[in-house]
Amino acid sequence: AQSVAQPEDQVNVAEGNPLTVKCTYSVSGNPYLFWYVQYPNRGLQFLLKYITGDNLVKGSYGFEAEFNKSQTSFHLKKPSALVSDSALYFCAVRNTGFQKLVFGTGTRLLVSP
Amino acid sequence: NAGVTQTPKFQVLKTGQSMTLQCAQDMNHNSMYWYRQDPGMGLRLIYYSASEGTTDKGEVPNGYNVSRLNKREFSLRLESAAPSQTSVYFCASSEAPTQYFGPGTRLTVL
């Protein structure tokens, strides 16, 4: 069965500092990995995905994520955080033959001025 | 191009009442999904439709029914609402592998 773990309920970072939101996964076969962001009272917005190829994936709003197969991780990163990045972030996984996404429980990112 | 739209945005029901949540997408996607979001639990899949004319149960289907009316529309029905169904409901569509989400329906069952 597929599963995703986001070990931190909340991440606090000061504006201008780098941020990392952690995600580890479990899936049989090759994974498709995703990050979504949810702003208050809004739906989920797609940020980036890893399907195959380069382990460093770049996405929207300056975010990137690094796929690490040996550690089964897909951490979300940004070199310089903005207050406007404050939101709820979800990691999700599916395997190549399976249409359904499995989501983590989410990590709230708070960026302080 | 509106993407995925959902109606209503908010709804309050009494226990035992029924209602249908509507979802439509204009991206010509084959697959559509219904999720519920509860605090601390992430998103859980209720039902999905891989293509027009097919539907399958997800992780938490009890108390819900769905209809894939055509390629654009996928509705979720609560026949007899219960307080445990108080949640935020999201519809999504995809042309694999990426799913795109609607704005959500906030449902309260009293």
Side-chain angles (χ1 to χ4, degrees), chain A residues 6-108:
Chain A
Q6 293 183 244
E8 302 153 316
D9 290 335
Q10 185 165 305
V11 170
N12 298 306
V13 66
E15 188 173 33
N17 283 358
L19 69 88
T20 299
V21 182
K22 295 179 180 177
C23 172
T24 59
Y25 67 90
S26 174
V27 68
S28 57
N30 294 322
Y32 289 172
L33 293 154
F34 303 82
W35 277 101
Y36 287 84
V37 59
Q38 185 180 31
Y39 297 101
N41 301 313
R42 304 287 294 275
L44 276 72
Q45 293 181 30
F46 169 71
L47 268 182
L48 52 81
K49 66 176 181 255
Y50 171 82
I51 304 298
T52 187
D54 204 353
N55 289 344
L56 185 64
V57 178
K58 294 189 183 298
S60 306
Y61 311 123
F63 284 93
E64 57 190 28
E66 187 167 11
F67 170 64
N68 187 317
K69 188 172 184 178
S70 62
Q71 297 185 6
T72 61
S73 67
F74 189 57
H75 300 332
L76 181 69
K77 300 182 179 185
K78 187 173 182 181
S80 178
L82 299 172
V83 172
S84 57
D85 292 330
S86 298
L88 189 56
Y89 290 81
F90 289 97
C91 182
V93 69
R94 55 165 277 192
N95 66 17
T96 54
F98 203 53
Q99 292 201 36
K100 294 184 280 186
L101 282 180
V102 173
F103 285 85
T105 52
T107 298
R108 188 166 300 282

Side-chain angles (χ1 to χ4, degrees), chain B residues 8 11 17 20-21 25-26 32 38 40 43 48 55 57 70 81 85 88 90 100-101 107 110:
Chain B
Q11 184 72 47
Q17 288 185 317
T20 299
L21 282 65
Q25 53 94 7
D26 61 3
M32 298 185 73
D38 302 293
L43 276 76
Y48 70 104
T55 61
K57 294 179 180 179
N70 47 55
Q85 294 177 305
V88 181
F90 289 102
Y100 297 92
F101 287 78
L107 175 66
L110 303 175

Side-chain angles (χ1 to χ4, degrees), chain A residues 97-100, chain B residues 30-35 44-62 64-68 74-76:
Chain A
F98 203 53
Q99 292 201 36
K100 294 184 280 186
Chain B
N30 280 315
S31 301
M32 298 185 73
Y33 309 80
W34 276 105
Y35 293 89
R44 294 182 292 169
L45 183 65
I46 305 171
Y47 271 93
Y48 70 104
S49 170
S51 61
E52 187 179 353
T54 69
T55 61
D56 286 285
K57 294 179 180 179
E59 185 184 352
V60 287
N62 291 345
Y64 305 95
N65 285 299
V66 290
S67 296
R68 184 73 184 267
F74 188 39
S75 62
L76 178 73

